Amino acid sequence: MNTAAGASLSFAGLLRSVCQRTPDKVAAEDAQVSRTYRQLLRRSEQIASLLLGRLGRRRGERLAIVAGNSVAYLEVVFGAALAGCPLATVNPRLSAREINAIVDDCGAALVFVDGQNRTRAQSLQAPCQVLDAAFEQQLAAVEAAPVLPPPDEHQLFTIPYTSGTTGKPKGVMISHRSRWLTVAAMQIEYGCFGPDDRFVALAPLCHGAGLVFALAPLCLGGYVRIVAGFDALQTLQTLRDTKATGVFMVPTHFAALFALPEQQLAAQRPAQLKTIISNAAPLPQPLKEKVVAYFGAGLLHETYGSTEGGIVTNLRPPDQLRKHRCVGRPIVATEISIRDEQGRECEADTVGELYSRSPYLFDGYWNNAAGTAAARRDGWVSVGDLARRDSEGYIYIVDRKKDMVISGGVNIYPSEVEQVIAEHPAVAEVAVVGVPDAKWGEALKAFVVPAPGSDPPDSDELLAFCGARLSRFKIPRQIQAIEAIPKNPTGKVLKAALRSLGNTEQGS
């Protein structure tokens, strides 16, 4: 219970406050619909009333949504918030079995699905509400939506589920307060979510980062354009046509942009952008230099964070070409601790596990006390990333703890090797993993995607390229060209899939 005087920092209250300021301003659009703040609030209130009325739900019950990006998705998010029902955001690209496991894990009393996922409703083991014409008729019947008291800011807002690339997906419990304070920090750090800003949301809304980057403009009185799916040329056109001032993209998006012909890039160059945010995976330095050269200096931010920890660090535009392979300094109200295996603070330039402490932390994993205990230590949170801090206080993510390779008793961080190979002009993308080796225990194997218009890079040439830049023990013993690096919808490399492929090749 929130006993402090004043309004609760809930997303329900935030939407109402912005609507009072600019009710008739266009708040959100997608390819089909446009909503003013008045309309967005009205429809969200109708959804809340429908939930607590005809659909028979109760405040505090958990709901879920399995849908693609749309304005309707945001209306369900706000409607659930107004109803006081935490919302599990489920990746629609998962199999029916995986979705059922998540719905069962969070105990969802009702699952929203959009038209594209209508057939999923038939296989789900929980009651479903399809966002279709019949649902619109139900909303229209809700004539007078009562003003519901907003939930307490410390109550659960959403439960995004981790990708599950290393095991069973975990439900990350996020409070209203945590995500609202994240939004405030984002505006301080990026400066592109204010009332005069226009943001393009490309990332999947089912993901923690994708949702918060779409909600931030709406909480601060701006405008957001929701994009259903990524297309490189269409993205440039959208940025230009909407006069976007901000956008969040992942390295895969940037790689696709710069695979476009030079003529198209020149013709579609956006003119209004003031902030570009990169996250989800390291942005290779050659690609970063292309971003800066094309969009201009003073725009690019490279951010490190997690669903559990929120935004942790950010490398600001002036440092992009000065600090290589760096994710910057802690954002406002964030402390970072880099610790060795005994829990002691590491000295400068010494690799250890990264912990963060801030107002943006998650409340633990749903129904997973062991996972929560493993991620927390004395009020600090870690998601298993290894990092180092330089003498100026800048942070460098070295690798995932689980991805570290021990070869001949020596620790090797694949991301360091990946950064070097990515500098070769014939390489578009690269991922390095450890595979079993009879002599060394593990050995490095590199999977490379050829640059557009290039033949697969010669293995001997790549090995010589690495040999001039890396210690001998860090040079991959195998290099394999593939058409695409397997990734999840947020752009993270599925290294488990690559290890399986590497092991298969070893055994064949």
Side-chain angles (χ1 to χ4, degrees):
M1 175 66 70
N2 181 18
T3 58
S8 168
L9 291 180
S10 72
F11 280 82
L14 291 167
L15 181 59
R16 285 191 177 126
S17 66
V18 175
C19 185
Q20 285 189 347
R21 292 185 59 188
T22 53
D24 297 317
K25 176 181 177 177
V26 174
E29 292 181 306
D30 58 27
Q32 281 76 42
V33 302
S34 175
R35 300 279 189 251
T36 65
Y37 275 100
R38 189 195 309 275
Q39 291 168 332
L40 184 61
L41 177 60
R42 168 68 174 172
R43 288 177 60 83
S44 300
E45 288 177 335
Q46 288 174 315
I47 291 173
S49 293
L50 190 63
L51 282 168
L52 299 177
R54 183 179 298 181
L55 296 179
R57 306 278 57 92
R58 299 187 303 274
R59 293 175 76 85
E61 281 190 320
R62 292 166 302 285
L63 312 174
I65 181 168
V66 182
N69 285 10
S70 68
V71 170
Y73 195 113
L74 297 180
E75 292 171 345
V76 170
V77 170
F78 281 117
L82 285 162
C85 296
L87 184 68
T89 54
V90 186
N91 183 354
R93 295 179 63 179
L94 296 176
S95 68
R97 179 178 178 179
E98 292 169 315
I99 293 174
N100 264 313
I102 289 174
V103 169
D104 180 66
D105 183 71
C106 71
L110 179 72
V111 182
F112 288 95
V113 296
D114 61 6
Q116 290 184 329
N117 291 279
R118 179 189 297 271
T119 55
R120 299 290 185 91
Q122 300 170 4
S123 62
L124 293 180
Q125 298 168 2
C128 292
Q129 175 60 65
V130 181
L131 302 174
D132 58 7
F135 179 69
E136 289 296 321
Q137 292 178 353
Q138 292 184 71
L139 285 187
V142 181
E143 296 182 357
V147 178
L148 301 167
D152 180 85
E153 62 194 53
H154 295 282
Q155 291 180 352
L156 289 186
F157 170 47
T158 57
I159 312 175
Y161 271 73
T162 61
S163 57
T165 55
T166 59
K168 178 183 176 182
K170 298 186 288 288
V172 183
M173 297 190 290
I174 304 296
S175 70
H176 286 264
R177 178 182 176 83
S178 165
R179 276 304 174 257
W180 161 236
L181 292 176
T182 298
V183 167
M186 288 164 59
Q187 173 58 7
I188 293 169
E189 188 70 20
Y190 306 126
C192 63
F193 297 105
D196 298 323
D197 286 305
R198 302 173 65 79
F199 199 82
V200 172
L202 300 167
L205 298 178
C206 61
H207 185 252
L211 183 58
V212 76
F213 276 106
L215 290 174
L218 300 176
C219 294
L220 297 168
Y223 163 91
V224 64
R225 173 62 183 260
I226 304 297
V227 178
F230 177 79
D231 174 87
L233 181 58
Q234 186 62 51
T235 294
L236 289 179
Q237 292 172 340
T238 299
L239 292 172
R240 183 199 60 190
D241 295 346
T242 60
K243 296 181 172 58
T245 58
V247 64
F248 164 62
M249 292 195 284
V250 301
T252 302
H253 294 156
F254 292 117
L257 289 181
F258 295 113
L260 292 172
E262 290 289 339
Q263 186 176 3
Q264 288 185 341
L265 285 170
Q268 302 296 336
R269 191 192 310 268
Q272 306 291 326
L273 275 176
K274 65 181 185 182
T275 304
I276 301 172
I277 305 160
S278 179
N279 181 236
L283 189 58
Q285 196 68 22
L287 186 55
K288 181 180 293 187
E289 291 170 0
K290 290 181 181 180
V291 173
V292 174
Y294 177 71
F295 290 103
L299 280 72
L300 180 62
H301 296 252
E302 184 168 11
T303 289
Y304 163 75
S306 63
T307 308
E308 293 90 335
I311 296 173
V312 179
T313 69
N314 183 49
L315 185 67
R316 298 178 63 81
D319 296 316
Q320 287 297 332
L321 303 183
R322 182 175 77 92
K323 292 284 188 179
H324 289 203
R325 309 172 191 173
C326 179
V327 293
R329 289 169 164 157
I331 68 163
V332 63
T334 296
E335 297 175 80
I336 285 178
S337 176
I338 297 176
R339 305 177 182 181
D340 63 19
E341 292 185 359
Q342 288 71 45
R344 298 172 301 203
E345 190 71 24
C346 293
E347 297 181 356
D349 292 318
T350 301
V351 175
E353 187 169 355
L354 186 149
Y355 287 80
S356 68
R357 182 167 64 183
S358 73
Y360 323 125
L361 301 182
F362 75 142
D363 287 349
Y365 296 114
W366 176 262
N367 200 27
N368 188 341
T372 300
R376 286 177 169 170
R377 179 180 288 188
D378 301 326
W380 299 76
V381 163
S382 169
V383 292
D385 287 323
L386 299 174
R388 65 179 177 86
R389 189 195 327 247
D390 70 15
S391 59
E392 295 182 88
Y394 286 79
I395 306 298
Y396 301 76
I397 302 300
V398 175
D399 219 324
R400 296 283 292 169
K401 192 174 183 178
K402 63 181 176 59
D403 290 334
M404 185 180 73
V405 175
I406 302 177
S407 183
V410 178
N411 294 347
I412 305 175
Y413 305 108
S415 65
E416 179 185 2
V417 183
E418 291 166 352
Q419 290 281 354
V420 168
I421 297 177
E423 295 175 3
H424 193 285
V427 174
E429 290 186 274
V430 57
V432 175
V433 299
V435 295
D437 184 90
K439 180 178 181 181
W440 302 104
E442 281 187 295
L444 296 185
K445 180 169 184 176
F447 294 87
V448 297
V449 177
S454 299
D455 292 328
D458 180 76
S459 294
D460 291 338
E461 180 185 344
L462 276 182
L463 292 174
F465 185 83
C466 291
R469 295 161 175 81
L470 292 169
S471 301
R472 185 174 179 180
F473 68 88
K474 298 178 183 177
I475 299 172
R477 297 185 179 274
Q478 302 175 57
I479 295 178
Q480 179 179 339
I482 57 177
E483 293 184 358
I485 302 291
K487 299 173 184 174
N488 70 12
T490 63
K492 292 184 179 179
V493 175
L494 300 175
K495 290 206 169 182
L498 287 175
R499 290 189 194 98
S500 297
L501 178 59
N503 293 341
T504 300
E505 294 290 330
Q506 287 279 98
S508 61

